[in-house]
Amino acid sequence: MARGRFRKQRDPEGRMSLGDHLRELRRRFVIAAIAILLGAVVGWWKYSYIISKVAEPLTEIDKERGQAIASLNFANPTDSFSIAITVGLFVGVIIASPVWLYQIWGFILPGLTRREKRTAAVFIVAAVPLFLAGCWLGYLTMPKAIHALLSFTPDQASNIVPADVYLNFVLKFILAFGLAFLLPVFLVGLNAAGVLPARTMLKAWRPAVFLVFLFAAIMTPSPDPWSMIFLAVPMVALFFGAVGVALVLDRRRAKRDESAEWRTVPDDQASKL
């Protein structure tokens, strides 16, 4: 079979075809999946330790209640095995975050210029610590959320929580925090790709801040407002940080491309073009 058949076909302007984009997407997806599976081996190995750590809120509630019980319940014979797989994949996603985040950016960056790539590289490098910081914050906030949700249990009643339900809630809770902290990275990525101008982000700062606090309130269902503020303030700061980087990218792009002047012309006026 000819080697040229597998080469990326480009049009005269240097753009990849739809088939090449799909093959590139498949290749990067496979690389990310392999990295997650390798990381899942560590999660499988540390399964018992991870279960004990995420179940600590239930253990503390059980000690506080006295006779009432708060514990995990492995009702079905297959629960332990299926939950071990879930925990392993969860750990794999966290451990392999440098790989799959790089693959996402690697799929986007070919469409950018060298200067845009250098500027966006700062946020590419920041993506991994931001994701890990979000997961860590989610882990710290999770006990308060569990305590708040189970505080509605009547006196002398027990919470024998199905292990799969509890683990799905906890793991999704932690991942949601990690993905939320990736918001500025993807905003800058969309701006660098020319999809989302900085002025559009700046005009939408009020609904953005409202949605951030709404997300924080939903993800931290505790009576005190400090947990919500502890999550919302860093996310708002990251949002405005992304807007600042996007403004720098737009200014550099405007200086490089003289034809970009039409973007600032009002709709009721004619541009030089």
Side-chain angles (χ1 to χ4, degrees):
M1 189 176 292
R3 292 177 58 188
R5 182 177 177 181
F6 296 98
R7 293 177 181 173
K8 295 179 180 179
Q9 301 295 326
R10 297 176 180 266
D11 61 14
E13 296 183 3
R15 294 175 297 189
M16 295 170 58
S17 66
L18 176 60
D20 290 330
H21 277 295
L22 293 176
R23 282 188 287 271
E24 179 71 6
L25 178 62
R26 181 182 62 184
R27 185 180 71 85
R28 294 191 178 277
F29 177 81
V30 170
I31 294 174
I34 292 174
I36 291 174
L37 290 176
L38 292 176
V41 175
V42 179
W44 182 280
W45 177 42
K46 292 291 185 178
Y47 163 66
S48 298
Y49 174 77
I50 295 170
I51 288 290
S52 64
K53 295 299 291 184
V54 298
E56 281 183 353
L58 285 180
T59 304
E60 294 174 359
I61 294 174
D62 186 63
K63 293 178 180 178
E64 294 171 359
R65 287 184 177 178
Q67 294 182 353
I69 300 172
S71 64
L72 293 179
N73 179 34
F74 293 82
N76 298 319
T78 59
D79 280 355
S80 298
F81 179 75
S82 60
I83 290 174
I85 294 176
T86 301
V87 171
L89 291 175
F90 166 76
V91 175
V93 169
I94 294 179
I95 292 178
S97 56
V99 178
W100 58 263
L101 285 170
Y102 174 80
Q103 296 305 317
I104 292 175
W105 276 101
F107 183 73
I108 297 174
L109 288 182
L112 307 181
T113 63
R114 290 183 179 179
R115 187 171 296 179
E116 288 172 342
K117 289 179 181 179
R118 287 196 297 268
T119 305
V122 176
F123 262 62
I124 297 174
V125 174
V128 174
L130 281 175
F131 175 74
L132 296 178
C135 290
W136 177 75
L137 183 59
Y139 174 75
L140 294 181
T141 309
M142 179 265 298
K144 291 186 177 181
I146 298 296
H147 276 267
L149 293 172
L150 296 186
S151 64
F152 295 98
T153 305
D155 294 338
Q156 304 303 319
S158 298
N159 291 111
I160 304 177
V161 186
D164 56 341
V165 175
Y166 180 84
L167 265 296
N168 283 333
F169 170 79
V170 169
L171 301 185
K172 289 178 181 178
F173 185 90
I174 295 173
L175 280 180
F177 273 66
L179 294 176
F181 271 56
L182 288 178
L183 173 66
V185 179
F186 288 104
L187 288 177
V188 171
L190 292 173
N191 174 265
V195 177
L196 186 62
R199 292 185 181 275
T200 301
M201 288 189 280
L202 197 56
K203 289 179 181 178
W205 74 267
R206 289 182 180 88
V209 171
F210 171 77
L211 291 174
V212 165
F213 273 88
L214 179 63
F215 172 82
I218 294 173
M219 298 307 295
T220 56
S222 56
D224 64 283
W226 302 112
S227 299
M228 179 187 71
I229 295 174
F230 189 55
L231 172 62
V233 170
M235 289 183 63
V236 171
L238 290 172
F239 170 78
F240 283 106
V243 172
V245 175
L247 285 171
V248 173
L249 286 174
D250 284 351
R251 288 176 183 174
R252 290 184 177 180
R253 194 179 298 117
K255 289 180 180 179
R256 185 178 64 254
D257 186 6
E258 296 180 356
S259 64
E261 294 179 0
W262 67 270
R263 298 175 184 171
T264 60
V265 177
D267 295 337
D268 58 347
Q269 297 182 14
S271 66
K272 296 181 180 180
L273 293 175

